[in-house]
Amino acid sequence: MRVLVTGSHGYIGTILAPMLERAGHSVTGMDTDLYAACDYGRAPVHPRTIAKDIRSAERGDLAGFDAVIHLAGLSNDPLGFLDPELTYDINHRASVRLAELAKAAGVSRFLYSSSCSTYGASGDGYLDENGVFNPVTPYGISKALVERDLPAMADDGFSPVYLRNATVYGYSPRLRFDLVVNNLTAWAYCTGHVQMKSDGQPWRPLVHVEDVAAAFTALLTAPRELVHNRPFNVGRTSENYRVREVAEMVAAAVPGSKCSFAPGASPDSRNYRVDCGRIEREIESYRPRWTVAEGVREVHAKYRELGLSVEEFEGPKYKRVDHIRQLIQAGVLDESLRRIDGRTLDLRENVRAAVGGAAPHHV
């Protein structure tokens, strides 16, 4: 299939695009590459790319594709809180507009990267895809709003599919250190303390980035009658854990580390347990293979191999919201997160000047 992947240069996209190409698909990306200076380890191999903000997408950009996989957006709660109205503009309104453009251009399948954060404050019971949304952050609300609006577009020629990803973990060359497994393991490796920022009681469903990519790959070609206008919780039902349980797994895997609480740690209203049975029952080609314990060992091995400091993963080199703030201060982005110079080509030189480091080499 001819596939457009928005957010192709991000945490999931740098794993998904090569996976799709290995499966025989022709992949084009759409990405502004704001994190060009944030590679961790190997440089990602990007597909051919339309260097464009999704808010500036045009119908012609979508023409000729069989499917769109829409990953792009402000990808976590701290970024969402930076400017909630901007979060809704990018994550909600621009996503709906992108789907409208895709439909008008004749794209037949639109895979939307939603999130289990739509369930928000939902207690301790298991939630399947019929669970009530109760998001508590702008990020979660924006995802729920897209799922509210896209179903009206579904018809015989246009099939939206909603992938409600569990909280992702695992290695990617555009690694995110804010995600709970990656973050706790980073604290353990760097300081010996598995530092929890909440009281450790909330439930989280967890899924490896490769298993998320495998879900998109499977749903891309699944029979239409199985996926048309339907949501899927992405993960494994057995991989729901309290944050404290994740911390204990990290402490067991990182020699000499122990669980502790960050200053100001408090209860977290985000609490949800998710049933992922639908995707495993109905999509025969999807078989997730990772567990959290294996993922902890994987990222710990990467930290040992590549090196890491608290100043790096808690600073603008890898912390998404601080990196964006730095690009704004350096004049690379305006307050709406659009490039001030208006260029649509490689931003590496701008980013290098902004962050004061060497520009990474991309294959």
Side-chain angles (χ1 to χ4, degrees), residues 39 68 186 296:
D39 293 348
V68 170
V296 169

Side-chain angles (χ1 to χ4, degrees), residues 115-117 119 125-131 162-167 204-208 211-212 215 219 230-241 272-284 286-288 290:
S115 170
C116 285
S117 65
Y119 298 123
Y126 282 100
L127 297 161
D128 65 13
E129 288 79 359
N130 296 314
Y162 318 99
L163 286 79
R164 296 177 188 162
N165 304 318
T167 299
R204 289 288 187 279
L206 298 160
V207 64
H208 194 281
D211 287 338
V212 173
L219 290 168
R230 299 184 73 200
F232 293 86
N233 293 335
V234 176
R236 296 166 111 177
T237 305
S238 60
E239 292 293 290
N240 284 268
Y241 296 98
Y272 43 92
R273 256 175 129 181
V274 175
D275 182 336
C276 300
R278 173 181 287 181
I279 192 169
E280 293 195 73
R281 287 192 309 270
E282 300 186 17
I283 309 300
E284 292 184 0
Y286 180 63
R287 291 294 176 265
W290 285 87

Side-chain angles (χ1 to χ4, degrees), residues 148-356:
R148 180 198 68 185
D149 292 346
L150 259 59
M153 298 183 205
D155 59 22
D156 290 344
F158 185 71
S159 288
V161 188
Y162 318 99
L163 286 79
R164 296 177 188 162
N165 304 318
T167 299
V168 190
Y169 63 88
Y171 176 71
S172 159
R174 286 283 166 87
L175 189 62
R176 281 180 54 188
F177 287 92
D178 59 298
L179 299 166
V180 62
V181 173
N182 300 346
N183 184 268
L184 292 177
T185 308
W187 277 108
Y189 170 76
C190 292
T191 71
H193 292 279
V194 189
Q195 188 163 270
M196 290 174 280
K197 296 180 180 179
S198 74
D199 62 6
Q201 293 306 305
W203 285 98
R204 289 288 187 279
L206 298 160
V207 64
H208 194 281
V209 63
E210 290 181 3
D211 287 338
V212 173
F216 279 102
T217 303
L219 290 168
L220 177 67
T221 57
R224 184 179 188 275
E225 63 272 15
L226 293 181
V227 301
H228 176 69
N229 206 26
R230 299 184 73 200
F232 293 86
N233 293 335
V234 176
R236 296 166 111 177
T237 305
S238 60
E239 292 293 290
N240 284 268
Y241 296 98
R242 293 189 187 274
V243 172
R244 179 61 187 253
E245 294 174 319
V246 177
E248 290 168 351
M249 280 189 268
V250 172
V254 179
S257 63
K258 60 182 180 180
C259 297
S260 64
F261 292 96
S266 61
D268 187 341
S269 61
R270 298 169 300 166
N271 182 55
Y272 43 92
R273 256 175 129 181
V274 175
D275 182 336
C276 300
R278 173 181 287 181
I279 192 169
E280 293 195 73
R281 287 192 309 270
E282 300 186 17
I283 309 300
E284 292 184 0
S285 59
Y286 180 63
R287 291 294 176 265
R289 68 182 189 89
W290 285 87
T291 65
V292 171
E294 292 167 340
V296 169
R297 291 193 291 271
E298 178 205 30
V299 292
H300 180 229
K302 282 294 181 183
Y303 300 160
R304 286 185 296 166
E305 174 190 350
L306 301 171
L308 184 67
S309 69
V310 174
E311 292 73 24
E312 287 177 321
F313 78 83
E314 283 287 295
K317 184 173 183 180
Y318 296 122
K319 194 172 185 178
R320 294 289 194 253
V321 66
D322 287 352
H323 184 72
I324 291 297
R325 286 193 179 109
Q326 196 168 55
L327 293 182
I328 293 171
Q329 292 168 359
V332 177
L333 302 179
D334 64 20
E335 294 293 335
S336 71
L337 307 191
R338 293 182 186 272
R339 296 181 185 180
I340 290 175
D341 58 17
R343 288 190 292 171
T344 59
L345 298 175
D346 195 341
L347 252 190
R348 284 178 290 177
E349 292 302 317
N350 302 66
V351 173
R352 180 172 64 181
V355 302

